[in-house]
Amino acid sequence: MPNWGGGNKCGACGRTVYHAEEVQCDGRSFHRCCFLCMVCRKNLDSTTVAIHDAEVYCKSCYGKKYGPKGYGYGQGAGTLNMDRGERLGIKPDNTPSPHRPTTNPNTSKFAQKFGGSEKCSRCGDSVYAAEKVIGAGKPWHKNCFRCAKCGKSLESTTLTEKEGEIYCKGCYAKNFGPKGFGYGQGAGALVHAQ
């Protein structure tokens, strides 16, 4: 028997959807005003919708609920957060155990590649790939990759090394370079360094 004047049922509210107000998604119909993210209630369209089973989400809430967890995930490229959407009512499926840095002295190629057991040459804490800088043949945190004397941030072109410690070229010259007139302060300086 035909459904005279009626339409499909809304996938959100269950009421009849008439053609003028219909949005179709994944073979289902919605009222335009009901086509909202299940979590944050933002209006959705074909470019912002993400579907999981019979539920519709905006891409951000979908990523928080079902996407990978950890730094850099859940909000799009370039973000660094651990937000899993609890403030939006998303209940994590399983709570990850708190991060515990490894104390395993294993220095296998696998552990070195993924930063599991490499230690920063300055602070001694574990250095992971996202924060690792290699200088003087050793791993450093980006924030620890500084001159041991003045604290200036270093790069491979400004780095000098002595006895396992790293220095900027200026501090190295002042502390370990030749002494006497014309040395220790840069080219052309006439200073007697003690």
Side-chain angles (χ1 to χ4, degrees), residues 2-65:
N3 186 0
W4 299 105
N8 297 319
K9 298 293 181 195
C10 176
C13 71
R15 295 189 315 243
T16 301
V17 181
Y18 296 98
H19 183 70
E21 60 186 354
E22 183 178 36
V23 174
Q24 291 195 340
C25 176
D26 199 33
R28 295 182 299 149
S29 296
F30 294 87
H31 294 107
R32 282 190 210 289
C33 62
C34 292
F35 194 50
L36 306 171
C37 173
M38 307 261 321
V39 176
C40 70
R41 309 302 292 165
K42 284 184 191 170
N43 285 317
L44 300 172
D45 62 37
S46 62
T47 63
T48 60
V49 70
I51 303 163
H52 186 84
D53 296 330
E55 300 170 334
V56 292
Y57 299 93
C58 69
K59 289 183 179 180
S60 179
C61 290
Y62 178 86
K64 289 174 187 172
K65 187 166 184 175

Side-chain angles (χ1 to χ4, degrees), residues 72-150:
Y73 294 108
Q75 297 261 342
T79 61
L80 297 175
N81 74 41
M82 290 293 288
D83 182 5
R84 293 182 306 208
E86 287 90 346
R87 66 184 170 76
L88 300 173
I90 296 173
K91 302 270 191 280
D93 293 335
N94 55 358
T95 306
S97 61
H99 174 71
R100 291 185 192 96
T102 182
T103 56
N104 181 356
N106 178 9
T107 56
S108 70
K109 291 291 182 195
F110 180 82
Q112 287 177 7
K113 181 175 181 183
F114 294 100
S117 66
E118 285 187 294
K119 303 293 182 194
C120 175
S121 299
R122 170 82 28 90
C123 70
D125 288 340
S126 293
V127 182
Y128 298 94
E131 60 189 355
K132 182 167 74 172
V133 176
I134 299 292
K138 297 185 285 187
W140 307 80
H141 291 112
K142 287 178 185 173
N143 288 338
C144 294
F145 197 59
R146 300 181 170 281
C147 175
K149 292 286 184 186
C150 70

